[in-house]
Amino acid sequence: MTDLGRFITLEGGEGTGKSTLIAGLEGALSARGHDVVVTREPGGTKLAEAVRNLALHPPEDQAWSPLAHALLMNTSRDDHLRNLIRPALARGSWVICDRFADSTRAYQSIDGVTPEDLLAIEAIVVGDTRPDLTLILDAAPNALAERRHQRNVSDVFERKATEFHERVRSAFLEIAESEPERCVVLDALGSPDQVLTAALNAIDTRLDPS
Ligand code: T5A
């Protein structure tokens, strides 16, 4: 665990409610007197956001190789860690990050990069700045598609195959199983208030309530 601030990451498939939960956590933890820094990956700093754009929106008809994609995620992460996350933790802030290294483990391994290579790159880039707590929002992809359909939302989530979302879900659950001391799985199908309450319970249980 970090000496001063706390580093909390949120993970899960697309549309599981990470952004919604982060907004709730920011309000609740700020009300407790913590200085809260909300950020995201890929991105978070000016340079990292530029890499995000390059990674997620390559020029038309061009595609990154899976390894290049993994390296871009880590390039973005390196700047984010150096210029935002580590300085914020050092001054005692609570950093809440929308996706972090587990997303690279999940998505880029599905794309075909070996777990060994991903963990080797992660070790170099992340070093000792491991999350104190990772909240993994979990739900069956079909149930999420239905929720979003009810809200009349049609986006890239719906256009991806359910099989892909199942693989993403499994990858995150495997991470949670392999690192139970760091990860807590939350039911993403609860109401926003229920998910927030479960997340705050996990924070109170796992992190020093200081
Ligand atoms: N990626 C990322 C990699 O491949 N490797 C990496 O290393 C990293 C870091 C980034 C993409 O990059 C990939 C993964 C992704 O494909 P992103 O910008 O993080 O993507 O986007 P998403 O994860 O797709 O984020 P979304 O905004 O789509 O999903 P969220 O944040 O999980 O969901 P949210 O909060 O926006 O909610 C979605 C909808 O559901 C409703 C909301 O109102 C909204 O309409 N909702 C709820 N409804 C009912 N009950 C609840 N509890 C609800 N919570 C939210």
Side-chain angles (χ1 to χ4, degrees):
M1 195 174 289
T2 46
D3 288 340
L4 291 169
R6 295 285 182 268
F7 185 21
I8 301 171
T9 56
L10 267 72
E11 300 279 8
E14 283 97 335
T16 46
K18 297 178 297 301
S19 311
T20 304
L21 175 57
I22 283 179
L25 284 176
E26 182 179 22
L29 294 174
S30 298
R32 292 180 178 186
H34 298 298
D35 181 56
V36 180
V37 174
V38 168
T39 188
R40 70 170 183 179
E41 288 212 347
T45 62
K46 201 169 174 184
L47 212 49
E49 289 288 335
V51 178
R52 175 193 175 97
N53 194 41
L54 203 57
L56 299 185
H57 307 289
E60 213 171 319
D61 300 330
Q62 303 290 309
W64 296 107
S65 72
L67 178 61
H69 216 197
L71 292 170
L72 284 170
M73 295 298 169
N74 278 285
T75 301
S76 154
R77 183 162 303 130
D78 178 71
D79 191 69
H80 192 204
L81 281 161
R82 286 172 193 276
N83 293 310
L84 190 148
I85 294 175
R86 288 183 188 127
L89 292 172
R91 65 173 185 265
S93 299
W94 284 45
V95 176
I96 307 178
C97 191
D98 190 341
R99 297 191 181 280
F100 189 63
D102 294 321
S103 281
T104 313
R105 292 190 200 177
Y107 286 90
Q108 275 61 63
S109 66
I110 290 170
D111 285 348
V113 185
T114 68
E116 293 75 19
D117 285 348
L118 290 171
L119 290 177
I121 301 166
E122 180 185 312
I124 296 167
V125 172
V126 174
D128 291 336
T129 317
R130 308 260 162 201
D132 298 308
L133 175 67
T134 295
L135 301 171
I136 295 177
L137 286 169
D138 176 66
N142 281 343
L144 282 178
E146 193 175 315
R147 175 167 95 189
R148 291 167 67 83
H149 181 69
Q150 280 168 2
R151 287 169 177 255
N152 205 22
V153 175
S154 174
D155 62 10
V156 69
F157 181 90
E158 271 76 22
R159 293 198 292 275
K160 285 186 187 167
T162 301
E163 190 209 341
F164 172 80
H165 294 295
E166 291 287 6
R167 293 182 72 188
V168 171
R169 182 188 191 196
S170 298
F172 281 119
L173 291 177
E174 276 172 30
I175 292 168
E177 205 176 311
S178 67
E179 293 187 53
E181 69 292 343
R182 173 172 67 86
C183 301
V184 173
V185 177
L186 302 177
D187 178 5
L189 292 182
S191 69
D193 279 350
Q194 286 171 330
V195 179
L196 176 60
T197 299
L200 288 171
N201 283 341
I203 288 169
D204 290 341
T205 307
R206 299 294 187 102
L207 304 181
D208 280 343
S210 52

